[in-house]
Amino acid sequence: MRYDRTVHLDSDFATTVSRVRDALAAQGFGILTEIDVTATLKAKLDHDMEDYVILGACNPPLAHRALETDRSIGLLLPCNVVVRRDGDRTAVQALDPNTMVALTELDALRPVAEEATRRLDAALAALDSGDTQG
């Protein structure tokens, strides 16, 4: 089972991170957390790796609906979005929200996962088309 939704872009890393923030915001997602994996591994392990950041994206109405269905679903929230260098390109990857349904086996989460998928796919499509304003 694939658990990601991915696009590859020809833009540089910093530009892509900014565009991802805009595309997610246009779909009602805010960024709750940001983990700079590259900087963390360098600081803690003196390990050099490609640019890699994890954005913890949250759409409050969707998170609320999911939490009302299952309080433990917070273990799978927020929606993680990875931006990373992949050779000469930049990959943008979002955790497939349907993973929530597959892992919990709660059909009541299906409508939330479907809406989150639609919104994340719209954000990824906007990135791929260059239109991050909506």
Side-chain angles (χ1 to χ4, degrees), residues 10-79:
D10 291 322
S11 57
D12 67 85
F13 182 77
T15 299
T16 301
V17 171
S18 178
R19 290 182 60 218
V20 167
R21 287 175 175 282
D22 291 344
L24 289 170
Q27 292 301 318
F29 291 91
I31 304 301
L32 299 179
T33 61
E34 180 172 340
I35 302 167
D36 185 336
V37 176
T38 304
T40 299
L41 293 182
K42 182 64 176 174
K44 301 293 183 184
L45 302 175
D46 196 29
H47 175 75
D48 293 314
M49 70 175 287
E50 73 277 5
D51 292 326
Y52 195 117
V53 67
I54 303 169
L55 302 173
C58 179
N59 178 297
L62 292 177
H64 179 254
R65 287 172 51 198
L67 288 164
E68 287 297 302
T69 300
D70 178 14
R71 289 290 199 226
S72 295
I73 204 66
L75 293 165
L76 299 175
L77 298 176
C79 298

